[in-house]
Structure formats: structure tokens, C-alpha cells
Amino acid sequence: MSTTIPSSDNKLHKAREVFQGQATRALVAALEVCARCGLCAETCHYHVADPKVEHTPAYRGEVLRRFYRRWHDPLGRLFPKWVGAAALTEADLQKLVHVAFETCSLCRRCALNCPMGIDTAELVRSLRAMLTATGYAPEILEQLADAAIQREESIEFFKESYLEQIGGLEKELQARTGDPQARISVAKDGAEILCVALSGAHTILPAAEIFHEAGANWTLSLYEASNYGVFLSDLARARAIAGRIVNEARRLGVKELVITECGHAYATFRWSVPDWFGPLPFRVRSILEVVADYLKEGRLKVDPRANPEPVTYHDSCNLARNGGVVEEPRFILKRVVQDFREMTPHGYENYCCGGGGGLVANLDAMEVRLKAGWPKAQQIQATGARKVAVACDNCRLQIGDLSEHYGLGVEATGVCDLVCNALVKN
Ligand code: SF4
Ligand code: SF4
């Protein structure tokens, strides 16, 4: 399903066509109304870490605005220098990779603080779409998106080895719970909950233990929650990757789709998937929302003495600012750890850790990613916490890297891991 890369002559035409396909009224308004007030500069972690004009959200918007004026403003066509318009060139496309894929994590902190309501992340998404369609997107993001689609195309081949892997995890679950009857079913008919995890035991086992203890009727998806089509701003691939899970949930007739600790997967399923596929016949929630309810309902018994060290919480931008999941992780953590400490700022105003938007997967962006994580490293250090609870895998990897890079001496851990530590078994 790789994008067919247009020939050199067609690339500029293709980029313009992609932009026009995305030019909603909101996007055009964002291109028209920037007051150049500069208020957004301090909201962006790239600028806080390394104060350069190129690291301001307004600069990123201006990059796209130059081409927009040339394409759509009569003055921009006749007197481009007067209005800051410029024709897009192939050299521009190459340079834009750094702007769109390496120095913006799509965190939307700037959007929250812009007096004109400009959502720079949407402008950057548009740049990403243009670059992906013309063959300039980071290869690793393309490969990861294509691998997910290929899994669906060859599902019978993958299913066998996946079930074998889950069989191994089931034994671990039985050891963790002390219950030889504990099960991890995959795509089971009759389940009420379809849990969509990430690859590897670290998101599957804690979820399985929690569902087991709560006595939930659940099953595990055959597919992973992550969606690299979203990071590429490639609508066709993003829909294909999400569509596998929507079809699976419909086929099984589940009442609820529960997304593991993954920020972009949650935001994609909450906000984009209903736009792409119409109203869904099941509810979508983050596992944090589900665990908070289990605690409120008394379905999980916990003892915070199992987590005595100071713990802080990093709000994933996609869960908090873009998803509204702010109270639930705090409700959970205050019950499962003894010493919970907030970062400043936190919640909707949290600083991005620098790992979102596909940056963690992109080794070319490593240096700038670690530098952009400096504000988050400072925030973590100021709390004095020894553990950072993180409900997103990309953030978790980034905070682990930040701890090593800045010598923070903290451990990044999942919220569900802390819940499992604190479980008092029935
Ligand atoms: S805060 Fe908004 S209006 Fe002001 S420069 Fe930034 S993007 Fe433009
Ligand atoms: S979305 Fe986040 S990373 Fe991108 S410009 Fe805005 S504040 Fe910076």
C-alpha cells in the first residue's frame, strides 16, 4: 500500500493538489489570521529548549502560508515579494521534512494559547500530507504503516504465531494472578470488551491482570493500536489501519473498545474514526477511564503501600489536551501510590515530552528530540519523583531516553503497571 511517488515533474503539482484536498475552512482561516503576535513561541517545547525563530509555531505556519499565498492570493501571484509569497520548489520539499517531521510533535500546546485560535499542528499535518504524497516522509514511518496493513492482508499467517505468543503470556498471567484458570482470549465471540493493545507483553499483561481481577468479559484484539498512517497524515493508510479494528469490533459485536495506554491511538479512535466510518455501534474508552471506574465500583482492591516511592505523572498530549483524559489517571494514581506529585504545569497545559507525532520511531530526529525534551526533563526533576507514570508508549520511551540523557535517574512506567503492583488479590 506504499504511496506511488510521482515523477519529479509531477511532485509540485501533487503537493499542491494534496494541500487543496485538505484546505478546509478551518485550515484556510488558520492561514489567513495570524497576527504575528509571537505569543505562541514560549508555548512550544522546541522553542523553550532552543529559542530560535524556526522553533516558533508561527514560523511553521508561515512556511505553509508562503505557498498558500502564491497559489491562492492574486497579489501573491503577481507581486509575490510584496505579500511574502513563494513558489514551492523541490528543494523546499526536502527542507520541509525537518519542519514537519522532526521539529513539531503535533502536541497542540500552541493552539491552546494562540489568541487567534490557530492550530499549528493542523498546518503541520497538511505539510506532512504533502511530503508523504511526494515521497519525502521518513522511511521508517512508511515501513511501520505498511507493516500494519500487510498484517491484515496476511492475517491467517500472522494469527498462528500471535496465538502462540499469547499462549506464553497466558502462563505468565496465571503465575501473576495465582489462578490457573486465568485466560487471555483473542477475538473471542461474545466478549463485551475488545482491548486493543500494543505489540509486546508490557501492555497486554497489565491489562489482562486488571480485567481478570475485575471479572470483566473481555478479549484481546488481533491488531495493534498504533497507527503510523496518522503520523504520516496519510488518510488512506490511517483509515486502513484503524478499519481493521473497527471491523473486528463490529464482527464480534462488542459493547466497548478499550484502547491501551497509547495517546495517538486513543485520539484517533475517539475523534477521527467516527468521522471516517460513521457512528460506531460500540463505546470507545481509554483503559485509564475503565480502571478508574473499576476502582470506583470496588471491582479492584488496591494497597498504595505497594508503591511507596514518589511518583509523578506525565500527561500524554493526545490523552490530556487532545482527549480530555486528565482526572482519571490522577484518580487512579492517588489510590495506588503513596506519594503522588504533580508537575508544573500539568493537565491541559502540560509540556509535550518531545516523543509524540512519530518522532520516537524516527532515528534521524533523535538529537533534536532529546533537546526538545529538556523542558519535560526539568519538570520531572523539580518533582523529586523516582518514577514517572506514563500512559503512552511513545512518551514512555522518550522519558526513558530523557532520564538517560539528562541523568534524571527516574524510571518510566505504565499507570496499569502501578495498578497491578498495588492489587490486593481476591
Ligand atoms: S500566537 Fe497565534 S496569532 Fe500569535 S503569532 Fe502565534 S500563531 Fe500567530
Ligand atoms: S503543535 Fe506542539 S510542537 Fe508543534 S508547533 Fe505547536 S507547540 Fe510546537
Side-chain angles (χ1 to χ4, degrees), residues 33-41 57-58 113-116 118 120:
V33 300
C34 177
R36 293 190 174 80
C37 64
L39 286 175
C40 50
N113 293 284
C114 168
M116 309 304 284
I118 294 173
T120 300

Side-chain angles (χ1 to χ4, degrees), residues 43-46 57 60 103-111 120-121:
T43 69
C44 179
H45 51 291
Y46 288 94
R60 297 172 179 94
T103 57
C104 176
S105 56
L106 311 174
C107 77
R108 299 186 69 245
R109 192 165 192 268
C110 52
T120 300

Side-chain angles (χ1 to χ4, degrees), residues 222-292:
L222 271 167
Y223 306 103
E224 281 175 47
S226 53
N227 190 328
Y228 285 87
V230 169
F231 295 140
L232 289 166
S233 291
D234 181 330
L235 185 58
R237 278 188 273 192
R239 282 180 62 137
I241 294 167
R244 309 164 308 162
I245 298 166
V246 172
N247 290 340
E248 184 184 36
R250 283 195 168 127
R251 191 173 63 245
L252 297 174
V254 295
K255 292 183 181 155
E256 181 161 46
L257 193 72
V258 174
I259 308 288
T260 191
E261 296 185 61
C262 176
H264 82 277
Y266 175 75
T268 302
F269 268 91
R270 276 309 293 278
W271 314 123
S272 304
V273 163
D275 277 351
W276 297 338
F277 300 101
L280 302 173
F282 48 81
R283 186 181 189 192
V284 175
R285 286 201 292 170
S286 156
I287 193 157
L288 300 185
E289 295 169 285
V290 175
V291 172

